């Protein structure tokens, strides 16, 4: 068969729904349940695969995540699960739409002064479930547009409490642990910004104080970082209680501030044996997850799926305030300079710790190595809820019900990793995973601890690693071998077919990345410090 004929046939297969294929269900099971399940998605920020105690090898340092470890023991640990992108906004947009950034338009992060956000032509998981009768709530970091129609309560959520973007994108009166450390808002964000700019110190967001939103209203600015976890915990428990009182199935999406800097663990006292600030923050995050799990168990545990995962890997340039990638070190890259975690397509950038928990449904104490992604959350939850997505667009995730509930290893046959800022053009699908093999068309590094950066390199033919024996991505396959040639041919065809499918997709959206100083969230723009009183 000629390559062009194969490409057309393969693209047609994709067009007919391969990118949103449904892993076969147990006929007598999942779709016939009369009581629709509740869903709790917990998304950690900048978390490393090696941060989860259950992912650590025997003899490593003591676990800082006992609640998550218990959840893994009582549920399923997904060891080959990936964020859809290795930075914030694209990862979150893909999770909520089931579509790559090249389709949904979100290819890099939105800013404090962003005018737009996730394109309004896109339909979110929350919108679909809300229309299907679900009570929907979100707590935490949104980062998909904070102005007007782009805010969470206009994108399907009945209730929202959280910050509009990352917790380092604004000053606070009591800053957390950051590298470099950032000053407090006093004597006012704009005055402080001007002083720091004159001194050449520009890595801190100082123009606007960090706001806390409840629904569409700023209730605290600057927010108190040190009370944020407590606020999120109590609000999450209240959402679970409210949904139970309503007798409504619910979606609770909790997008944590952990483990993004600045870190603000409670009552921190330096103790080397306990791992310092980062370990204390991990314990705090784990406690929040444990509180949500306990509340869910007490409410309706046999009908609630909890899915914990991460938006991308550790922010390596933050040194002691960054997490662990475990064995996924990206050695080929680090030996040439730069980091191989967040913002890169090396495994440390997007392979994230993931646990699925549903007593009586997800097999207890189980582990799956199925190749899965945050793109798969969208179709899986809709399938379990018995709700269909809009039929006027193409999707990139798969229904992983059989993996979660029936222990099958039928994950993605292939997975594409987009550039998130380390090399190439934003959103380009430059790295392809096919089974145990991984092919790079472009490599590049993020800034490492200490400031080193690696240069961008193009690879034609692609550089291919066999992850089954080379988790550290150190030694690529010899291009002259039959193994390489076979993988190269399959990767090329799949990549070309997907790119053709996206190019012919009439539902592709375009995000507005324009910025305007007046678009920055501020409860009182006339006040120098941009402050308002807390309501809580």
């Amino acid at each position: 068969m000629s390559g062009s004929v194969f490409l057309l046939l393969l693209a047609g297969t994709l067009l007919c729904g391969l990118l949103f294929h449904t892993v076969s269900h147990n006929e007598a099971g999942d779709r016939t349940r009369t009581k629709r399940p509740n869903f709790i998605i917990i998304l950690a920020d900048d978390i490393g695969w090696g941060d989860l105690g259950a992912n650590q090898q025997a003899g490593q340092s003591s676990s800082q995540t006992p609640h998550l470890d218990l959840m893994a023991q009582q549920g399923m640990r997904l060891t080959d699960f990936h964020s859809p992108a290795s930075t914030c906004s694209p990862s979150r947009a893909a999770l909520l739409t089931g579509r790559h950034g090249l389709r949904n338009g979100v290819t890099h992060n939105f800013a404090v002064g962003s005018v737009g956000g996730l394109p309004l032509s896109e339909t979110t998981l929350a919108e679909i479930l809300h229309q299907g009768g679900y009570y929907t709530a979100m707590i935490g970091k949104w980062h998909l547009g904070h102005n007007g129609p782009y805010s969470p309560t206009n994108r399907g959520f009945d209730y929202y409490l959280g910050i509009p973007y990352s917790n380092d994108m604004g000053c606070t009166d009591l800053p957390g642990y950051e590298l470099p450390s950032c000053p407090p808002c006093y004597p006012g964000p704009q005055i402080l910004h001007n002083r720091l700019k004159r001194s050449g110190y520009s890595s801190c967001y100082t123009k606007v104080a960090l706001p806390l939103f409840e629904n569409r209203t700023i209730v605290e600015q600057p927010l108190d970082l040190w009370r944020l976890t407590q606020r999120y915990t109590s609000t999450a428990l209240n959402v679970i209680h409210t949904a139970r009182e309503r007798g409504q199935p619910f979606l609770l999406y909790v997008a944590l501030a952990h483990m993004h800097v600045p870190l603000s663990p409670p009552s921190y006292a330096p103790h080397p044996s306990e791992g310092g600030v980062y370990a204390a923050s991990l314990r705090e995050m784990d406690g929040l997850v444990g509180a949500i799990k306990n509340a869910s168990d007490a409410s309706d545990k046999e009908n609630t799926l909890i899915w914990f995962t991460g938006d991308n890997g550790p922010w390596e340039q933050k040194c002691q305030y960054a997490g662990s990638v475990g064995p996924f070190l990206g050695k080929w890259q680090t030996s040439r300079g730069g980091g191989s975690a967040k913002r890169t397509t090396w495994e440390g950038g997007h392979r994230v710790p993931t646990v699925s928990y549903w007593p009586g449904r997800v097999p207890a104490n189980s582990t799956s190595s199925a190749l899965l992604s945050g793109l798969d959350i969208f179709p899986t939850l809709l399938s379990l809820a018995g709700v269909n997505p809009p039929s006027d667009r193409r999707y990139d995730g798969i229904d992983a019900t059989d993996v979660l509930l029936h222990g099958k290893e039928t994950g993605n046959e292939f997975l594409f990793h987009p550039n998130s800022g380390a090399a190439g053009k934003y959103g380009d699908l430059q790295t392809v995973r096919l089974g145990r093999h991984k092919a790079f068309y472009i490599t590049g590094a993020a800034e490492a601890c200490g400031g080193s950066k690696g240069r961008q390199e193009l690879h034609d033919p692609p550089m291919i690693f066999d992850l089954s024996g080379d988790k550290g991505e150190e030694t690529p396959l010899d291009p002259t071998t039959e193994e390489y040639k076979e993988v190269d041919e399959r990767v090329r065809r799949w990549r070309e077919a997907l790119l053709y499918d996206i190019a012919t997709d009439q539902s592709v959206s375009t995000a507005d990345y324009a910025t305007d100083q007046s678009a920055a969230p501020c409860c009182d723009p006339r006040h120098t410090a941009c402050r308002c009183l807390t309501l809580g």
Side-chain angles (χ1 to χ4, degrees):
M1 182 185 297
S2 70
S4 59
V5 173
F6 174 87
L7 181 57
L8 289 173
L9 290 175
L10 191 54
T13 303
L14 291 169
L15 180 61
C16 292
L18 180 58
L19 291 177
F20 194 109
H21 79 268
T22 301
V23 178
S24 61
H25 284 187
N26 183 311
E27 292 293 335
D30 311 309
R31 290 191 183 276
T32 60
R33 289 171 59 83
T34 57
K35 188 177 181 181
R36 288 183 295 174
N38 307 312
F39 304 119
I40 300 176
I41 303 171
I42 305 176
L43 186 70
D45 199 348
D46 289 5
I47 192 167
W49 190 91
D51 288 341
L52 179 65
N55 280 346
Q56 296 175 356
Q57 299 296 317
Q60 287 186 268
S61 58
S62 60
S63 172
Q64 308 298 334
T65 59
H67 294 288
L68 274 165
D69 296 345
L70 177 61
M71 198 160 84
Q73 184 179 356
Q74 296 174 339
M76 177 179 290
R77 185 168 57 98
L78 299 164
T79 59
D80 204 354
F81 193 94
H82 301 257
S83 61
S86 59
T87 195
C88 306
S89 297
S91 179
R92 292 155 202 272
L95 185 154
L96 290 174
T97 65
R99 286 154 58 87
H100 279 302
L102 291 181
R103 294 190 202 270
N104 66 40
V106 181
T107 57
H108 54 289
N109 287 343
F110 292 104
V112 173
S114 283
V115 174
L118 174 66
L120 302 180
S121 54
E122 293 296 313
T123 302
T124 70
L125 174 66
E127 288 175 289
I128 299 170
L129 289 177
H130 176 81
Q131 293 166 3
Y134 273 69
Y135 174 65
T136 57
M138 181 187 171
I139 298 168
K141 171 180 169 179
W142 175 237
H143 216 165
L144 293 174
H146 50 271
N147 284 295
Y150 298 100
S151 62
T153 53
N154 285 317
R155 305 312 297 267
F157 290 101
D158 294 306
Y159 176 82
Y160 172 63
L161 177 80
I163 53 179
Y165 31 63
S166 298
N167 58 332
D168 67 333
M169 295 171 68
C171 63
T172 58
D173 287 341
L174 296 171
Y177 294 91
E178 165 72 290
L179 189 70
S181 58
C182 292
C185 287
Y186 181 83
Q190 186 61 56
I191 296 173
L192 179 62
H193 172 80
N194 292 337
R195 290 180 182 176
L196 293 176
K197 188 175 182 179
R198 286 195 298 270
S199 66
Y201 190 94
S202 59
S203 61
C204 295
Y205 285 84
T206 54
K207 284 187 177 181
V208 179
L210 191 63
L212 179 69
F213 277 81
E214 184 169 31
N215 296 322
R216 302 177 195 178
T217 303
I218 296 176
V219 295
E220 189 176 60
Q221 189 174 23
L223 66 79
D224 183 351
L225 281 173
W226 304 87
R227 291 183 58 219
L228 192 58
T229 300
Q230 178 185 342
R231 277 180 177 267
Y232 283 1
T233 302
S234 60
T235 304
L237 303 192
N238 186 58
V239 167
I240 294 170
H241 176 75
T242 298
R244 181 179 62 187
E245 291 297 307
R246 290 185 176 202
Q248 233 180 323
F250 69 86
L251 165 69
L252 172 58
Y253 171 39
V254 184
L256 303 174
H258 305 84
M259 298 297 299
H260 200 290
V261 295
L263 304 175
S264 51
S267 305
Y268 169 68
H271 198 297
S273 66
E274 295 180 0
V277 173
Y278 193 85
S281 296
L282 263 181
R283 291 194 295 272
E284 182 185 49
M285 180 205 73
D286 183 69
L288 191 163
V289 174
I292 292 174
K293 174 183 179 292
N294 291 339
S296 173
D297 285 351
S299 176
D300 194 7
K301 73 175 182 179
E302 294 183 355
N303 200 48
T304 303
L305 168 64
I306 302 178
W307 200 325
F308 172 90
T309 187
D311 74 332
N312 51 247
W315 198 354
E316 199 170 352
Q317 74 183 80
K318 298 302 177 179
C319 301
Q320 71 268 29
Y321 301 140
S324 166
V325 296
F328 305 106
L329 299 172
K331 291 182 179 179
W332 186 92
Q333 182 62 65
T334 57
S335 68
R336 289 160 174 79
S340 59
K342 177 178 177 176
R343 298 179 66 236
T344 77
T345 59
W346 299 98
E347 289 295 289
H350 51 74
R351 190 185 291 229
V352 287
T354 304
V355 175
S356 177
Y357 169 79
W358 190 353
R361 304 300 307 284
V362 171
N365 200 24
S366 57
T367 299
S368 174
S369 59
L371 181 60
L372 295 174
S373 160
L375 286 162
D376 305 326
I377 292 176
F378 178 95
T380 303
L381 267 54
L382 292 183
S383 175
L384 290 169
V387 178
N388 294 321
S391 59
D392 62 347
R393 62 202 61 199
R394 303 178 191 175
Y395 300 91
D396 297 297
I398 67 168
D399 178 359
T401 297
D402 272 353
V403 175
L404 300 184
L405 304 189
H406 309 305
K408 295 187 177 180
E409 293 290 324
T410 47
N412 291 276
E413 184 175 357
F414 59 94
L415 202 60
F416 293 81
H417 303 305
N419 169 57
S420 294
K425 183 180 177 182
Y426 282 127
D428 277 359
L429 302 176
Q430 61 188 38
T431 304
V432 185
R433 179 74 187 278
L434 184 66
R436 70 178 193 268
H437 294 99
K438 185 175 175 184
F440 289 83
Y441 286 87
I442 304 176
T443 54
E447 184 175 335
C449 175
S452 69
K453 296 179 181 178
R455 65 185 180 89
Q456 174 181 301
E457 292 189 40
L458 301 178
H459 302 276
D460 185 16
M463 182 170 61
I464 299 175
F465 293 88
D466 181 350
L467 297 180
S468 65
D470 188 12
K471 291 183 173 62
E473 296 173 294
E474 183 175 16
T475 307
L477 297 178
D478 181 346
T480 65
T481 64
E482 288 303 316
E483 179 184 8
Y484 177 94
K485 293 176 182 177
E486 179 183 349
V487 174
D488 176 37
E489 177 68 13
R490 293 183 65 202
V491 164
R492 182 182 62 79
R493 290 182 175 182
W494 280 114
R495 182 172 182 263
E496 289 178 357
L498 178 57
L499 292 176
Y500 178 82
D501 186 72
I502 294 174
T504 58
D505 185 352
Q506 298 300 309
S507 67
V508 168
S509 299
T510 301
D512 181 0
Y513 277 99
T515 59
D516 189 297
Q517 186 174 350
S518 65
C522 190
C523 54
D524 184 2
R526 297 167 298 178
H527 197 293
T528 304
C530 196
R531 294 178 178 273
C532 59
L533 297 175
T534 178
L535 301 182

